[in-house]
């Protein structure tokens, strides 16, 4: 009895899901899907473009996409063909890199903020004026207490 290996559960962003559905529904190749994306076509409108039994004069959708691509870009297919799943994996990898960079940046900002907070908590030396004496006013109540203690009652 053979057991199936579980695939790693990779999340596909929502913006790629309609393209996967269209590829399956209209039996398009990865190259044709990529061409349609580069042409700026919407997967929601493929129903209108597709050849149906009621519209036999229409060119089949895969050939229609290829003809538009060749007309606009002057070549029959993209230089580097990627599947939607590969594009989604790259998108998610770039997203994770951005998250990691942002977290590292926030950690660096927090470290500098913590060090400035520690500097602010440490007591500073009394400031002195031009005479070199501290900027503290003499306490008059201490002087009167000392005078009262020296006088007999």
């Amino acid at each position: 009895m053979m057991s199936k290996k579980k695939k790693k559960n990779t999340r596909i962003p929502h913006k790629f899901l309609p393209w996967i559905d269209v590829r399956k529904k209209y039996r398009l190749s990865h190259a044709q899907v990529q061409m349609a994306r580069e042409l700026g076509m919407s997967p929601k409108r493929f129903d209108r473009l597709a050849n149906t039994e009621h519209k036999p004069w229409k060119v089949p959708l895969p050939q229609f996409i290829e003809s538009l691509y060749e007309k606009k870009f002057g070549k029959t297919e993209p230089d580097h063909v990627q599947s939607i799943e590969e594009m989604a994996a790259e998108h998610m990898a770039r997203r994770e890199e951005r998250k990691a960079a942002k977290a590292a940046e926030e950690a660096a900002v927090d470290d500098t903020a913590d060090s400035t907070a520690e500097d602010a908590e440490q007591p500073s030396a009394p400031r002195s004026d031009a005479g070199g004496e501290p900027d503290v006013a003499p306490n008059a109540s201490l002087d009167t207490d000392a005078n009262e203690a020296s006088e007999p009652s």
Side-chain angles (χ1 to χ4, degrees):
M1 182 174 194
M2 297 180 104
S3 63
K4 291 184 179 180
K5 290 184 179 179
K6 281 189 175 181
K7 288 185 180 180
K8 184 180 177 185
N9 189 9
T10 57
R11 184 181 159 284
I12 296 179
H14 291 287
K15 70 179 189 177
F16 295 115
L17 293 177
W19 290 103
I20 293 173
D21 296 339
V22 163
R23 185 185 71 211
K24 291 176 183 175
K25 183 176 180 179
Y26 297 106
R27 297 181 181 174
L28 300 173
S29 68
H30 295 296
Q32 291 163 342
V33 170
Q34 186 171 339
M35 286 187 243
R37 285 176 51 90
E38 290 178 17
L39 287 167
M41 298 175 85
S42 172
K44 295 175 185 175
R45 304 197 180 208
F46 277 25
D47 283 340
R48 297 179 198 158
L49 301 172
N51 184 10
T52 62
E53 295 172 4
H54 304 292
K55 301 173 188 170
W57 63 88
K58 285 190 173 183
V59 177
L61 186 60
Q63 285 84 17
F64 178 68
I65 292 170
E66 290 172 356
S67 67
L68 285 179
Y69 189 82
E70 188 172 359
K71 196 181 291 183
K72 184 169 184 177
F73 295 105
K75 53 186 179 180
T76 56
E77 66 178 37
D79 296 330
H80 178 68
V81 177
Q82 280 187 310
S83 71
I84 294 292
E85 291 81 6
E86 290 170 348
M87 287 184 215
E90 285 183 7
H91 174 79
M92 294 302 287
R94 283 192 306 269
R95 187 174 174 189
E96 291 300 321
E97 287 174 12
R98 282 195 304 266
K99 280 185 180 180
K102 186 175 180 180
E105 183 179 312
E106 287 178 0
V109 169
D110 288 344
D111 290 344
T112 57
D114 290 343
S115 66
T116 56
E118 290 172 3
D119 293 343
E121 290 175 3
Q122 295 176 355
S124 58
R127 291 185 292 160
S128 60
D129 58 359
E133 295 180 6
D135 222 8
V136 180
N139 195 345
S141 64
L142 292 176
D143 293 337
T144 56
D145 290 340
N147 290 339
E148 290 175 358
S150 61
E151 292 179 15
S153 321

